[in-house]
Amino acid sequence: TDLSKIRNFSIIAHIDHGKSTLADRMIQVCGGLTDREMKEQVLDNMELERERGITIKAQTVRLEYKAKDGETYILNLMDTPGHVDFAYEVSRSLAACEGALLVVDASQGVEAQTLANVYLALDGDLELLPVLNKIDLPAAEPERVRTQIEDVIGIDASGALEISAKTGIGIQDVLEAVVTDLPAPVGDPNAKLQAMLVDSWYDPYLGVIILVRVVEGTLKKGAKVRMMSTGRTHDVDRVGVFTPKHVMVNELGPGEMGFITASIKSVHDCKVGDTITYEKDPADAALPGFKPSVPVVFCGLFPVDASDFEYLRESLGKLALNDASFKYDTESSAALGFGFRCGFLGLLHLEIIQERLNREFDLDLISTAPSVVYRMGMTDGTEQELHNPVDYPDVTKIKWIEEPWIKATIMVPDEFLGPVLTLCTERRGEQVDLTYVGNRAMVVYNLPLNEVVFDFYDRLKSISKGYASFDYEIVGYREGDLVKVQILINSDPVDALAMIVHRSQAEYRGRQICARLKDLIPRQLFKVALQAAIGGKVIARETVGALRKDVTAKCYGGDITRKRKLLEKQKEGKKRMRQFGKVEIPQSAFLEALKMG
Ligand code: GDP
Ligand code: MG
């Protein structure tokens, strides 16, 4: 293939700015699908997106476009994962491209995710082509947004195309600009093979499908390849491209994108960013930028109905089949029974997995408050990671403890700036930057991730009436005065409610959770003491008063069916009770208490 006739690009955009619509339009214009197939394709996509919450897997479509210069070009359009939780995966998808369309909704303007994605693209030295979408909307202000792109992002937007992915205005110009303004790939078909593993997923018919971008050399069907990070070898049994239908080919040359299968059973053998080379005559070095993905947020997932435990295990296994970055391990809790400690790339990843378990597997689950990964230096000189507050060691053995910090970018209309700044300050934030773009403020804060996993999104949404957009990246670990707060019910610690917090927040959080539990725990025949404590020191307390009368007393002598009903109701409730010493607490109380974080 003539490299000068190939263009590899992706589309980056804030959510809802029109990425999928534009991609579908381009597929349609290039005739990758008939109208009927197009409908199916679009539906398929939606189904997948729904299944995944958002795009998690990178996908590519190979299009043929006959340009105005009379030549036919191969356009490889790569759909990148939709969220910065998957920043590393996004960065690898972008690394497979030479350029990107930067789509901005002309009625909305630049948002936090636009910026986060732009930074990733600029890190990867991609050529950016700004596109103003939704100009059909009366509220569209292309001129204002053009200036905003120049001010905020600092790229020339004077030539930005004005399009409507919905009505089709300007799509041809976009395709033409991809050909004329984005660089062609370079590479030597006879060099030693270096192909980047962009993504992988499990297909019930073909096994693991690997999405690759060949950088140097030629990847051929039938060859034995080696994954450079693990050293494992596999026989390539299929090579193909997506048009978006699977079309088999014999080889992929440098600059090409496509897929291979190699009878691989698990996506865990296929690490995003890894380099694939030949077993014989391998490349001297792997491609730069490989990083094994590590979970940063953990939580416990427990079935509401204990008999669902094995089914939950099975379901987690199925999800993990397709998601190499999702980790899980069994865990047991006095309050919640048997469940799993799960690791995620970020909060959104966690939400997606929870959502899928609920929707696709119909599982009713309780999750414990998300916790970040702490690092601890011990007095005996060793270091360890803490994934679960329950495992917090004896304080006297801890020399120091560090927590992850993020750099958060928040974009918010001027009128909501005050409360946003207050929220960030309350959460131990340090302001890094504050700039204005028209009537929108862009604030950058360094924040402890610990404070963000605790209802930060919800608060941000409510104080900005939904207008704030938020994105973050992890910047590193810092030492902090972090303590374990335990919640005690009649002196028994409830493991599921234990949390690691900054000392300055301990009392407030402890008091909040005790007050909440007080309302949630039904009265018993005796008083129930609720306490929050750091080590042996109680920092907050509440009491649930004793119940005076038998529940059925008031029906005494009355309607017998009513009495029976009441007893039955009680029995029903019993199933969901958890025993704490002599205190019985409905599981729903924990669920509610956990909801607030
Ligand atoms: P994505 O999240 O970036 O993939 O955004 P989508 O492509 O899913 O689009 C989000 C919403 O905006 C959908 O309801 C689209 O129909 C709508 N949309 C996309 N492009 C346009 C456009 O050019 N004009 C208008 N009016 N709506 C659009
Ligand atoms: Mg989309």
Side-chain angles (χ1 to χ4, degrees), residues 254-292:
E256 292 200 276
M257 287 189 192
F259 69 87
I260 60 171
T261 65
S263 309
I264 298 171
K265 297 274 178 312
S266 161
V267 290
H268 295 261
D269 294 335
C270 306
K271 304 199 182 307
V272 171
D274 202 353
T275 303
I276 300 171
T277 191
Y278 284 128
E279 187 191 32
K280 278 195 200 129
D281 202 17
D284 302 327
L287 296 164
F290 173 68
K291 221 172 57 176

Side-chain angles (χ1 to χ4, degrees), residues 85 98 146 183 240 257 362 388 407 412 419 426 498 511 547 561:
D85 268 12
E98 280 74 39
R146 201 185 289 275
M257 287 189 192
D362 199 25
N388 190 343
K407 188 170 122 190
V412 65
E426 273 170 22
R511 223 185 285 134
L547 194 67
T561 51

Side-chain angles (χ1 to χ4, degrees), residues 13-21 133-134 136-137 164-166:
H14 187 73
I15 189 153
D16 282 345
H17 282 203
K19 187 169 87 153
S20 304
T21 311
N133 189 31
K134 305 199 188 182
D136 59 294
L137 290 177
S164 166
K166 189 172 172 186

Side-chain angles (χ1 to χ4, degrees), residues 19-39:
K19 187 169 87 153
S20 304
T21 311
L22 177 58
D24 285 341
R25 269 294 159 195
M26 292 200 278
I27 295 170
Q28 200 177 23
V29 170
C30 293
L33 294 171
T34 63
D35 278 357
R36 196 182 61 83
E37 284 173 328
M38 187 66 207
K39 234 184 237 156

